[in-house]
């Protein structure tokens, strides 16, 4: 991965950084989905340089990373973020420095939330009654996710959901593709 573009969220007393993350990431997702390949995958990954899991923070910067400058140009992030131009600063496309601190995967983690939701899904999937599915989860202990997240809204059905983001540092680069959120369980981005 040789090229990157930084998008910095600008502080504003009237607008929460969480709200800005939602708006910016929603638009970047649409830009990446607009240029996805036939397997619904993206050539562009994301990095959160200010990521701090212990603080449940993504920081204030989103970094788009691609194999080359042309791939970043094609998604036209300036166009997708035009209505947010008062709240973000978009840097020009630059070359990844030769000296980097390592590699990481930024992945979407789906925590097991509550047994009622899991039971509804199981009942639908297995054709069971809700009560039968709920009985399956009698011993379930709810897991609280302590990872940073971004609130999103599904474009297809309007449902609200959270993307919990985990950073996993990797010793060597792993090539591959990303989701239309720029995330991957296996493909790495350089950290600098």
């Amino acid at each position: 991965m040789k090229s990157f573009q930084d998008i910095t969220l600008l502080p504003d007393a009237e607008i929460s950084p969480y709200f800005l993350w939602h708006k910016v990431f929603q638009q970047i997702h649409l830009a990446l989905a607009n240029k996805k390949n036939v397997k619904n995958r993206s050539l562009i990954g994301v990095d959160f340089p200010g990521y701090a899991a212990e603080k449940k923070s993504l920081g204030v910067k989103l970094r788009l990373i691609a194999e080359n400058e042309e791939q970043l140009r094609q998604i036209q992030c300036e166009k997708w973020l035009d209505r947010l131009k008062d709240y973000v600063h978009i840097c020009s496309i630059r070359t990844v420095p030769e000296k980097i601190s390592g590699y990481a995967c930024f992945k979407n983690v789906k925590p097991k939330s509550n047994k009622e939701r899991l039971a509804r899904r199981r009942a639908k999937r297995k054709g069971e009654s809700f009560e039968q599915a709920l009985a399956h989860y009698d011993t379930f202990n709810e897991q609280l996710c302590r990872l940073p997240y971004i609130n999103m809204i599904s474009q297809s059905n309007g449902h609200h959901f959270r993307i919990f983001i985990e950073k996993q540092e990797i010793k060597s680069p792993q090539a591959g593709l990303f989701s239309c959120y720029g995330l991957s369980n296996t493909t790495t981005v350089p950290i600098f």
Side-chain angles (χ1 to χ4, degrees), residues 36-135:
K36 65 187 174 193
N37 68 13
V38 292
K39 294 180 181 176
N40 287 333
R41 307 301 281 167
S42 173
L43 298 171
I44 297 170
V46 297
D47 171 16
F48 301 88
Y51 184 93
E54 65 282 354
K55 294 180 183 177
K56 286 181 72 172
S57 174
L58 295 170
V60 295
K61 188 177 288 187
L62 175 66
R63 180 170 287 153
L64 304 176
I65 304 179
E67 195 57 47
N68 59 57
E69 195 174 322
E70 185 56 31
Q71 291 169 343
L72 288 172
R73 249 194 226 105
Q74 285 179 357
I75 67 162
Q76 302 172 324
C77 81
E78 292 86 354
K79 175 188 112 181
W80 288 95
L81 296 173
D82 185 55
R83 61 189 192 139
L84 298 169
K85 63 184 169 196
D86 292 339
Y87 306 104
V88 297
H89 178 262
I90 304 170
C91 291
S92 60
I93 297 171
R94 299 184 213 161
T95 303
V96 171
E98 286 192 29
K99 185 173 178 154
I100 61 171
S101 59
Y103 301 92
C105 291
F106 285 90
K107 47 174 103 175
N108 180 7
V109 174
K110 295 179 181 167
K112 294 188 168 137
S113 55
N114 65 46
K115 60 181 167 184
E116 287 80 14
R117 184 181 74 77
L118 293 171
R120 281 192 302 275
R121 290 184 65 214
R122 179 182 171 91
K124 191 177 197 179
R125 212 175 48 248
K126 302 252 183 189
E128 300 173 342
S129 72
F130 175 72
E131 291 74 22
Q132 289 171 318
L134 193 56

